[in-house]
Amino acid sequence: MRKILLSLLPLLVCLGSASSILAQKHTISGYIKDATDGEVLIGANVFDLKSSGGSSSNTFGFYSLTLPEDSISIVYSYVGYQPQTVRLLLTQDTLINIELSESALLDEIVISAAEAEKIQEVTQMSTISVPIEQVKNLPAFLGEVDVLKTLQLLPGVQSGNEGTSGLYVRGGGPDQNLILLDGVPVYNASHLFGFFSVFNADAINNVQLIKGGFPARYGGRLSSVIDISMKEGNMKEFHGEGSLGLVAGKLTLEGPIVKDKSSFIISGRRTWIDVLARPLIRSQTDGEETVGYYFYDLNAKVNHKFSDRDRLYLSAYLGDDRFYARTNYTNSFGGVELEDRSDSGLQWGNITSALRWNHMFTPKLFSNTTLTYSRYRFDISNEYRNETLGDSANQKLVDSGFAKYLSGIEDFAAKIDFDYLPSPNHYVRFGVNAIHHTFRPGALNVRYDDDFSEDALDTLLGSQQTEAMEFAAYVEDDIELSRRLKVNIGLHASAFRVNGELYTSLQPRIAGRYLLNEQLSLKASYVQMAQFIHLLTNSGIGLPTDLWVPATDRVRPQTAQQWALGGAYNWRSGYEISLEGYYKDMRNLIEYREGADFINVNQDWQDKVAVGDGRSYGAELLIQKKKGRTTGWLGYTLSWTDRQFDDLNFGERFPYKYDRRHDLGIAVVHEWRKNIDVSATWVYGSGNAITMPTAIYSGRGDSFFGNNIYDYGERNSYRMRAFHRLDASITFRKKTRWGERAWVLGVYNAYSRRNPFYLYLDESSNPSRESQFRQVSLFPIIPSISYRFNF
């Protein structure tokens, strides 16, 4: 790693040398925030009207702009906020902290030079930022606002099964998405077996999706980066918001600890499915059985501003899904009393935490130092105890047992990132990080004790935990070579040490845009990516059996290359249009072999998987409207995705399960009246590829009925029906003396389309009737109602 940093030093020196020749130039720097609550504005635009030089705020709201000594007019702007202009005579480095106020009527604001950076001017391609308010205004399944389901409406992102929150980006698997919550990886982002995500929209400030052209600062995954920033807490005054829906309730509280110095935010969400169902279950089982399921999330964050140069943050997330089934039966006969008790459970969840220190070394150099901890755990347990009591008080026999299957991954990490802005033509980022991984890819703990015999058992079966270290260093520069040509060039270097083996990777990244005119640009990118961890997951319907495992000498690190070419057009300053084509090549992917079982702990996981390659290519169209009473987007994807494994499908290429030729998503939000909003989404997707038997042979053998033998054709050679669905909602808002309340009426699957969830073979017991494939659908039309409030 030291050699890597030394090799990057000359590049950093060259990139930074521009600052030494900027005679009679000074730097304006500071933070851009919301005037109402003090939340930072990420990606806000800073523009000098005279020189046409500009910059933007980073993840922490920090900006820096170096200009010649002169009278200047700086315009600060952000979508949805009133622009603000600052005029001054620049004679020295100046610190200016700006607070912007929200706009009431965006259509009436026309400041052409002061608008936020337009899509055709941005170097980075394949990147989309989704405003949280827009996420909250779109229709939600059972009234639960979901960030990941909103991302599914975007081109290049597919949803997997009907109703689930899984993400399959440009042909990649779920393990190839780097999902960051305040910079900390989240290894499993699903609740309720995938129907909801773990992200509470009330606690989120910003969401950014990157599908390609990855900047060098990101690494460790192949397909996408979903960068989610939590709110920091209101610096001005105490506030709260929440909602009550059909399946869950949530509450968020935030406010200053010391006004304009420190703040906090805490946000919680819990389902009450188990509470609502408990009386019904007890009435049917005479109180002898208790069955339930629930999930919860808890987000918390505090931050303190020590000075204009230093700020400290502490944030955490805790979430769990829990299913439980408990029984307690007591019977008496012949003077003997029997008591049977059992307790079964299924639990999975995440913990993430981050301690950050922001420091401004100079007006041009900003740093962020972070210590993080994250853990994902998946457990299945079953415990029973049977007691037999005889006539004598001393006559007691006990039969008990316990079994627990557990798996997970745990990380401790440290990193430091620098933003260096020597001039308006350069935005340099560089940094290093290290992660200590602990993998627990599946173990079964079994205990058994029986008073009826002398047999007893207490053992641990399965894979032992593995520890590994991952290192990375990067440097990138966003360079404006001319008014028309802008390039982002970088290098990401990474290394992974496990079981005495060291794997290294150098990943060049380059992206550029060329302005054909003021409204239209061409863009292109090339990236290499490496991923040192794998995810073993069942492709069928089932439990969230995510087993994270490291690269080994038998299962090498995953790698990918991606090329992209496209154009961006700003039409009438109100519509953003982008068209992109891409090709992605992936190596060292893994899938379970036919018949492999994740819970068979006596077999090494490496013996259960096949290793192969994949590719994905296609085109994506996005038309987006961000301003006015009607906002939304249309996204269309035409794509092909396949896999090739020597040990599967006779070595021939086969379609990936989520290979979809056509994928279309439309989202619209309209302000019908001042206090009434209506919204709708419509999605269409080609059917998933599945493997089905093509012939059935009856084997007689020793069984009276015989055993059927199934002949399967090529892997994933059958297509389920296409799915499409319309969701709609209407929101009624009203100001109250204590704040604002809103009633949200929604409908999921408005025309009750019977979309396929999975298919099965129905074999009739009547020999004269042919077997048939039957479709299982989950959700017909589902109405919902929720109540939202803030104060």
Side-chain angles (χ1 to χ4, degrees):
M1 188 57 59
R2 182 173 177 269
K3 292 181 179 179
I4 293 173
L5 291 174
L6 289 175
S7 66
L8 296 177
L9 186 59
L11 178 58
L12 290 174
V13 172
C14 292
L15 294 174
S17 62
S19 62
S20 63
I21 60 174
L22 294 176
Q24 302 300 316
K25 291 190 176 183
H26 307 289
T27 301
I28 302 171
S29 61
Y31 294 86
I32 305 176
K33 302 179 181 181
D34 187 307
T36 304
D37 55 19
E39 285 286 343
V40 299
L41 299 179
I42 300 171
N45 195 43
V46 184
F47 186 82
D48 177 34
L49 293 174
K50 184 173 183 179
S51 66
S52 296
S55 183
S56 60
S57 58
N58 67 8
T59 306
F60 304 97
F62 172 79
Y63 76 94
S64 177
L65 181 61
T66 300
L67 298 170
E69 183 174 299
D70 199 352
S71 297
I72 60 171
S73 295
I74 304 294
V75 179
Y76 299 85
S77 61
Y78 189 70
V79 174
Y81 288 74
Q82 291 278 5
Q84 190 174 140
T85 302
V86 175
R87 296 178 175 85
L88 74 154
L89 177 62
L90 186 62
T91 59
Q92 61 182 3
D93 290 348
T94 305
L95 179 68
I96 303 178
N97 295 324
I98 292 293
E99 295 186 345
L100 299 181
S101 300
E102 292 188 15
S103 299
L105 297 173
L106 286 174
D107 279 342
E108 297 179 2
I109 301 170
V110 181
I111 304 179
S112 59
E115 292 177 353
E117 194 172 14
K118 304 179 181 70
I119 186 174
Q120 72 274 16
E121 296 178 348
V122 179
T123 311
Q124 195 171 331
M125 63 186 308
S126 309
T127 300
I128 304 172
S129 292
V130 181
I132 286 298
E133 287 306 314
Q134 196 166 38
V135 173
K136 291 183 177 182
N137 286 332
L138 289 174
F141 177 56
L142 293 175
E144 282 299 299
V145 175
D146 198 315
V147 171
L148 295 191
K149 285 188 177 178
T150 301
L151 296 182
Q152 291 173 358
L153 299 170
L154 299 172
V157 182
Q158 295 173 3
S159 60
N161 290 318
E162 165 73 9
T164 63
S165 60
L167 295 179
Y168 298 81
V169 181
R170 288 187 172 177
D175 62 318
Q176 296 175 356
N177 302 317
L178 178 61
I179 303 178
L180 299 172
L181 180 61
D182 262 6
V184 187
V186 177
Y187 284 100
N188 185 292
S190 296
H191 280 314
L192 192 57
F193 308 99
F195 294 116
F196 298 105
S197 77
V198 301
F199 303 111
N200 181 352
D202 289 350
I204 294 174
N205 179 25
N206 187 72
V207 179
Q208 185 180 60
L209 169 68
I210 306 174
K211 302 174 293 181
F214 303 99
R217 59 188 178 274
Y218 295 110
R221 300 294 189 276
L222 302 189
S223 290
S224 77
V225 177
I226 302 166
D227 200 347
I228 300 174
S229 300
M230 282 179 56
K231 290 180 178 179
E232 296 179 358
N234 196 309
M235 281 276 191
K236 306 293 185 180
E237 55 188 5
F238 180 81
H239 276 286
E241 65 176 310
S243 67
L244 302 173
L246 295 178
V247 297
K250 54 188 175 183
L251 177 66
T252 301
L253 302 175
E254 60 179 323
I257 300 173
V258 178
K259 189 174 182 179
D260 294 326
K261 281 286 187 180
S262 59
S263 64
F264 78 93
I265 180 171
I266 183 167
S267 182
R269 174 176 63 162
R270 191 193 189 279
T271 58
W272 39 55
I273 302 173
D274 58 328
V275 178
L276 296 177
R278 190 173 299 161
L280 178 62
I281 294 173
R282 285 182 175 175
S283 66
Q284 294 179 344
T285 61
D286 297 325
E288 296 176 331
E289 292 185 13
T290 302
V291 180
Y293 165 84
Y294 67 92
F295 69 76
Y296 70 88
D297 299 301
L298 181 65
N299 296 81
K301 190 172 186 176
V302 294
N303 72 94
H304 181 71
K305 177 182 175 183
F306 291 95
S307 68
D308 288 330
R309 292 180 176 271
D310 294 279
R311 193 165 182 175
L312 194 68
Y313 303 81
L314 177 62
S315 61
Y317 165 79
L318 173 65
D320 258 334
D321 284 69
R322 295 184 181 179
F323 171 82
Y324 56 88
R326 306 183 185 102
T327 61
N328 190 351
Y329 293 99
T330 302
N331 291 307
S332 298
F333 61 91
V336 177
E337 183 174 324
L338 302 177
E339 183 177 0
D340 297 337
R341 287 179 290 173
S342 68
D343 190 348
S344 301
L346 169 65
Q347 178 179 352
W348 71 95
N350 301 274
I351 294 176
T352 71
S353 59
L355 177 65
R356 298 166 174 257
W357 171 44
N358 289 171
H359 178 66
M360 187 169 65
F361 287 94
T362 72
K364 300 177 184 179
L365 182 62
F366 176 90
S367 72
N368 176 51
T369 305
T370 311
L371 301 175
T372 69
Y373 169 78
S374 66
R375 187 218 67 192
Y376 169 69
R377 181 184 65 187
F378 169 68
D379 298 342
I380 304 175
S381 63
N382 181 49
E383 183 176 7
Y384 71 91
R385 181 180 178 88
N386 301 327
E387 295 183 359
T388 303
L389 302 176
D391 294 330
S392 171
N394 295 324
Q395 189 178 0
K396 179 178 180 181
L397 298 176
V398 178
D399 173 20
S400 64
F402 173 83
K404 185 172 185 178
Y405 175 86
L406 56 144
S407 69
I409 181 173
E410 184 178 51
D411 290 349
F412 290 92
K415 63 177 180 177
I416 182 167
D417 302 289
F418 294 91
D419 288 19
Y420 179 50
L421 297 90
S423 74
N425 297 331
H426 289 269
Y427 195 143
V428 183
R429 294 180 173 93
F430 57 97
V432 295
N433 69 71
I435 307 173
H436 179 271
H437 298 287
T438 301
F439 299 90
R440 297 180 177 88
L444 182 63
N445 184 15
V446 179
R447 295 200 309 268
Y448 173 75
D449 190 12
D450 186 358
D451 289 343
F452 293 95
S453 67
E454 296 181 355
D455 295 335
L457 177 67
D458 189 349
T459 186
L460 179 66
L461 305 173
S463 304
Q464 301 300 311
Q465 73 179 35
T466 302
E467 296 186 356
M469 287 296 300
E470 184 173 352
F471 307 93
Y474 71 89
V475 60
E476 66 175 87
D477 189 6
D478 209 41
I479 312 169
E480 187 170 349
L481 299 175
S482 68
R483 176 68 182 92
R484 292 185 177 273
L485 181 61
K486 197 173 183 181
V487 177
N488 184 292
I489 186 169
L491 179 67
H492 185 96
S494 56
F496 189 77
R497 179 176 289 278
V498 59
N499 295 331
E501 295 285 338
L502 179 66
Y503 304 97
T504 60
S505 175
L506 286 176
Q507 305 155 40
R509 317 278 178 83
I510 184 169
R513 65 97 170 124
Y514 183 79
L515 284 173
L516 298 177
N517 54 47
E518 293 301 316
Q519 284 77 40
L520 177 64
S521 68
L522 293 179
K523 298 186 180 186
S525 66
Y526 169 77
V527 298
Q528 291 186 15
M529 306 291 284
Q531 181 171 332
F532 298 106
I533 59 177
H534 298 271
L535 177 67
L536 296 176
T537 184
N538 288 333
S539 60
I541 308 304
L543 305 176
T545 53
D546 292 345
L547 309 183
W548 289 93
V549 293
T552 69
D553 56 346
R554 293 172 57 186
V555 183
R556 309 288 290 184
Q558 303 178 61
T559 60
Q561 299 181 82
Q562 185 175 162
W563 296 261
L565 178 67
Y569 181 58
N570 195 316
W571 183 51
R572 296 182 179 178
S573 298
Y575 293 86
E576 294 181 349
I577 303 172
S578 65
L579 177 64
E580 297 182 9
Y582 69 91
Y583 181 90
K584 181 164 65 175
D585 180 71
M586 297 168 282
R587 305 288 179 182
N588 300 325
L589 308 180
I590 64 173
E591 281 199 17
Y592 273 121
R593 296 178 183 272
E594 299 291 354
D597 185 1
F598 81 95
I599 209 164
N600 180 10
V601 295
N602 289 318
Q603 185 181 16
D604 188 348
W605 68 266
Q606 297 178 85
D607 297 324
K608 303 179 187 179
V609 301
V611 181
D613 303 326
R615 65 182 180 182
S616 180
Y617 53 94
E620 300 167 1
L621 171 68
L622 177 64
I623 303 174
Q624 191 169 13
K625 186 175 185 293
K626 296 181 177 180
K627 298 181 179 181
R629 294 178 59 185
T630 303
T631 60
W633 66 82
L634 179 151
Y636 170 71
T637 306
L638 173 68
S639 65
W640 290 260
T641 302
D642 60 34
R643 298 286 191 266
Q644 191 277 320
F645 292 79
D646 291 340
D647 299 328
L648 298 177
N649 200 48
F650 306 103
E652 298 294 327
R653 286 192 175 273
F654 58 89
Y656 185 44
K657 179 180 180 181
Y658 301 110
D659 168 50
R660 288 187 187 156
R661 200 66 62 243
H662 305 283
D663 200 270
L664 177 66
I666 301 173
V668 178
V669 178
H670 176 66
E671 184 184 351
W672 184 26
R673 295 181 181 176
K674 184 177 181 180
N675 295 319
I676 302 177
D677 295 337
V678 294
S679 62
T681 60
W682 188 76
V683 293
Y684 172 90
S686 302
N688 289 340
I690 58 175
T691 306
M692 301 294 286
T694 58
I696 304 175
Y697 302 95
S698 178
R700 294 300 173 186
D702 296 330
S703 171
F704 176 81
F705 295 102
N707 297 313
N708 289 335
I709 300 172
Y710 301 91
D711 181 20
Y712 288 85
E714 294 184 2
R715 192 178 180 94
N716 292 344
S717 59
Y718 187 82
R719 294 277 178 174
M720 289 196 289
R721 295 171 59 201
F723 75 89
H724 49 85
R725 189 188 72 246
L726 173 68
D727 306 332
S729 71
I730 182 169
T731 303
F732 300 91
R733 294 187 174 86
K734 183 179 181 180
K735 296 287 185 181
T736 67
R737 54 185 177 82
W738 45 263
E740 184 180 85
R741 61 96 176 132
W743 286 99
V744 183
L745 306 179
V747 58
Y748 179 89
N749 197 4
Y751 50 82
S752 203
R753 162 75 174 180
R754 304 298 291 179
N755 286 308
F757 191 62
Y758 70 88
L759 301 181
Y760 71 95
L761 184 62
D762 182 13
E763 299 179 82
S764 173
S765 59
N766 184 351
S768 63
R769 295 180 58 186
E770 293 185 356
S771 300
Q772 293 182 334
F773 292 119
R774 297 193 181 276
Q775 172 184 297
V776 174
S777 299
L778 281 188
F779 305 115
I781 182 172
I782 301 177
S784 65
I785 182 171
S786 61
Y787 177 75
R788 300 177 186 172
F789 58 90
N790 61 65
F791 54 89

